[in-house]
């Protein structure tokens, strides 16, 4: 008889809960963590018994390769609760598949989908009271894997740890989002790791983003590292551009993350009868469209950011404001995807998975 | 009165030593660690009291940003002991400066040079018996800094930990080194973090290096991500090329690490009357030189690798063997730099620093 992995998970319950100290109506993003976490270690060439443990510190040797050689990857997901208290995930298999794409590129072990999914579902069942239901909030899910194996030798580690932790979270951005189109720094190389959700891709963005913040922008729109003529992504989100009534986004590549929100928004837009185009977008095209009035909207799309309207962008020292429209593609698409995620609308795409 | 930082270091001695269990004549690279480590935490906007502690595990919250956003940098240095038992460092200030260059690019705090140098020297005094003296071995020194601050939000951490740990080590490479010139994957982008000793730069190299290993090569020579026409560096070392009697290496850039061994080798070569050229090198030039017999030597240079002769390289499925010369630039330069490092030769450059 087949034993499912979920039956094999070792569960150790926390003796107390922190839930009563949490103000679920005033949640920051990713700052409070639930009572339990899922942990699975890769040792001796295989994934060991998965465990659900009280959320607790991780102890590592100073020579663990996570501290030296950057073998760390993660995913971002959300769980939602509907009016009846049912719990849902959104396209979770896609996150697992992408985690494994990242793992392969960083020479880390791939996690079997059932290990991942069963662990996540079991943890969600235990933590379902941690899912916030107020407008714009959700239970943010952070699966991450890193090298635990030791040695001051630049080679892949021989052991790894996968953790899934939960953070009940409010919106990722507070207030207006303005972006700076980058002319000097770059996020990723051709043939590099830009398509992977690798820790190192984020650290490299912080300094240029700090410089942008000093100029009044919250995020950077990255451009290709060779010419800086083409827009790529914004680091925490993919970018959508509305020119007249066409919704544009750039194709994914080995430099650009294959965002799950990105591809869902494309699908929903098509379903809504919005004309979409997936093609390269020149910075000069954006400037021109802004100047001739055909640039109607700019927004970011990502699990954390959901759909985040951008109110203006900067390039070569000049600011370009987006028009303030009443009925935007962004708002329409955000409502539709959020309604699907939270079981307020039909899901013709088969994306929503009921957990319990 | 000025209080030096070294007087302020809190020292907690280990109760026992592991030193008697170590076979100093058969050392691997970076696998055994000495009894103590230097630790300094950056919290509340400043570096806290530096400490020397027994070498011990590090405990972190699962939400520490090292696990998520790749804020991790390191350095590689060595300490040497001469016949009289005196202890030396080689250009250590350059490592501290480069650590701070890396820190800035990854939006991490810079460490004051005296904090770094005093901590390192004090630790060396305590651990001087750990410095191996057998041919080709040294005490490998690994300073590293990483984000400890918490949160599932892609922004710089608010706290960091700097650690300096020691590993008595033998040679980095064992046996023949063959390299593959990369045609598809890349190490770094223009405007990226390739010049920084950032953890993420290493993780991204592992998978392409694994593929190279499967073809019988130990390292990859990276090429520019745009055209793959120009050689850059080998990830664990900078690359030197001898064509006839000229020693060539490529200029450093924002994609290439400013190697301390690299610049020392250039200086020594000039001092030895070897003609040097620092300029871009096309892969096609290397192939042509190999085919017409003018390519005499290829070697890597780095703190871990010292000077590592390369016996052959691969490109587009073809192997190119280097000639087996009697008296090589590589061997001559390696002897000279090692003699300076270990106090066997005069140091006209002022690179060697006596610690105790």
């Amino acid at each position: 008889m087949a034993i499912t992995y979920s039956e094999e998970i070792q569960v150790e319950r926390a003796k107390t809960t922190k839930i009563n100290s949490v103000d679920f109506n005033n949640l920051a993003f990713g700052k409070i963590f639930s009572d339990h976490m899922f942990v699975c270690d890769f040792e001796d060439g295989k994934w060991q018994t998965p465990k659900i443990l009280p959320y607790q510190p991780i102890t590592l040797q100073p020579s663990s390769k996570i501290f030296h050689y950057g073998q760390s990857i993660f995913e971002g997901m959300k769980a939602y609760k509907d009016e009846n208290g049912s719990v849902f995930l959104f396209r979770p298999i896609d996150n697992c598949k992408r985690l494994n794409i990242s793992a392969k590129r960083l020479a880390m072990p791939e996690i079997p989908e059932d290990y991942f999914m069963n662990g996540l579902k079991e943890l969600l069942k235990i933590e379902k009271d941690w899912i916030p239901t107020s407008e714009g909030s959700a239970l943010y899910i952070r699966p991450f894997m890193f090298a635990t194996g030791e040695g001051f030798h630049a080679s892949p580690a021989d052991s790894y740890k996968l953790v899934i932790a939960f953070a009940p979270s409010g919106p990722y951005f507070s207030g207006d989002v303005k972006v700076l189109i980058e002319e000097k720094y770059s996020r990723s190389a051709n043939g590099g790791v830009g398509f992977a959700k690798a820790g190192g891709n984020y650290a490299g963005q912080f300094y240029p983003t700090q410089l942008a913040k000093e100029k009044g922008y919250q995020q950077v729109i990255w451009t290709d590292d060779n010419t800086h003529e083409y827009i790529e992504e914004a680091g925490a989100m993919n970018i959508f551009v509305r020119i007249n009534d066409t919704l544009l986004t750039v194709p994914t590549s080995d430099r650009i993350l294959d965002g799950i929100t990105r591809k869902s928004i494309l699908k929903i837009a098509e379903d809504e009868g919005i004309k979409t185009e997936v093609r390269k977008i020149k910075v000069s095209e954006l400037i021109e469209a802004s100047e001739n009035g055909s640039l109607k909207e700019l927004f970011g799309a990502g699990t954390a950011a959901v759909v985040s309207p951008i109110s203006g962008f900067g390039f070569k020292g000049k600011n370009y404001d987006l028009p303030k429209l009443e009925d935007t593609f962004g708002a329409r698409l955000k409502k539709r995807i959020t309604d699907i995620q939270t079981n307020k609308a039909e899901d013709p795409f088969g994306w929503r998975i009921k957990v319990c």
Side-chain angles (χ1 to χ4, degrees), chain A residues 33 39 43-44 57-58 69 96 125 172 199 203 259 274 280-281 290 315 354:
Chain A
F33 313 101
V39 177
E43 284 167 5
D44 304 323
I58 294 166
Y69 303 121
C96 184
K125 285 176 196 166
Y172 191 79
I274 294 170
K280 288 187 162 196
I281 302 172
S290 175
F315 183 65
K354 187 174 173 177

Side-chain angles (χ1 to χ4, degrees), chain A residues 227-351:
Chain A
T227 67
H228 295 291
E229 283 181 14
Y230 294 91
I231 69 168
E232 304 217 308
E233 58 152 282
M237 51 197 192
N238 296 103
I239 292 293
F240 283 83
V241 180
R242 175 181 167 188
I243 293 181
N244 289 323
D245 284 332
T246 303
L247 188 64
L248 304 164
T249 195
V250 304
T252 56
S253 72
D254 59 1
R255 295 191 312 274
I256 299 176
L257 191 81
D258 184 11
I260 292 162
T261 308
R262 173 190 172 280
K263 63 186 181 185
S264 303
I265 288 292
L266 274 176
K267 206 84 176 158
I268 293 174
E270 285 159 23
D271 191 65
E272 297 261 325
I274 294 170
K275 192 184 165 207
T276 62
E277 274 181 32
V278 178
R279 63 163 172 84
K280 288 187 162 196
I281 302 172
K282 274 201 161 186
V283 178
S284 58
E285 181 183 359
L286 215 57
I287 305 287
E288 207 182 299
S290 175
E291 286 173 344
N292 70 23
S294 62
L295 181 64
K296 304 296 184 192
E297 291 179 56
L298 204 56
F299 60 84
T303 296
V306 195
V307 172
S308 289
I310 292 165
S311 64
F313 66 92
F315 183 65
K316 289 198 190 292
K318 204 177 157 188
N319 286 299
Y320 299 84
D321 286 328
L322 272 291
K324 292 187 203 330
L325 303 182
E326 282 290 300
D327 181 30
T328 63
F329 283 1
R332 203 163 125 198
L333 294 164
K334 181 180 183 178
K335 182 174 186 329
R336 181 88 189 274
I337 195 171
T338 308
D339 283 354
I340 292 172
Q341 288 165 334
T342 55
N343 197 30
K344 283 183 190 148
E346 282 299 299
D347 172 20
F349 312 104
W351 292 335

Side-chain angles (χ1 to χ4, degrees), chain A residues 94-212:
Chain A
D94 291 34
N95 290 94
C96 184
K97 285 189 196 302
R98 192 173 61 185
L99 185 72
N100 283 335
I101 287 170
S102 301
K104 187 177 174 190
R105 182 61 183 83
L106 270 71
M108 299 168 75
E110 295 175 45
I111 183 92
E113 257 173 48
D114 47 4
Y115 252 61
F116 181 89
M117 284 304 299
N118 289 329
L120 174 56
K121 285 179 181 173
E122 287 306 303
L123 186 61
L124 266 176
K125 285 176 196 166
I126 292 172
E127 303 290 73
K128 66 175 187 294
D129 292 343
W130 283 89
I131 306 173
T133 51
S134 59
E135 180 77 21
S137 66
L139 186 73
Y140 185 71
I141 297 170
R142 173 54 61 87
F144 60 105
M145 194 204 297
F146 59 92
T148 52
E150 298 174 45
F152 296 159
H153 194 286
S155 54
D158 56 6
S159 59
Y160 297 85
K161 190 182 284 289
L162 171 79
V163 179
I164 304 178
F166 292 165
S169 295
Y172 191 79
F173 293 110
S174 53
D176 224 25
V177 180
K178 284 179 187 286
V179 294
L180 181 67
I181 298 180
E182 186 59 52
E183 305 162 47
K184 180 181 174 190
Y185 296 102
S186 302
R187 180 183 169 277
S188 59
N190 296 301
V193 301
F195 67 97
K197 242 177 137 61
N201 287 340
Y202 293 80
Q205 297 182 65
F206 291 165
Y207 177 67
T209 304
Q210 273 182 347
L211 297 179

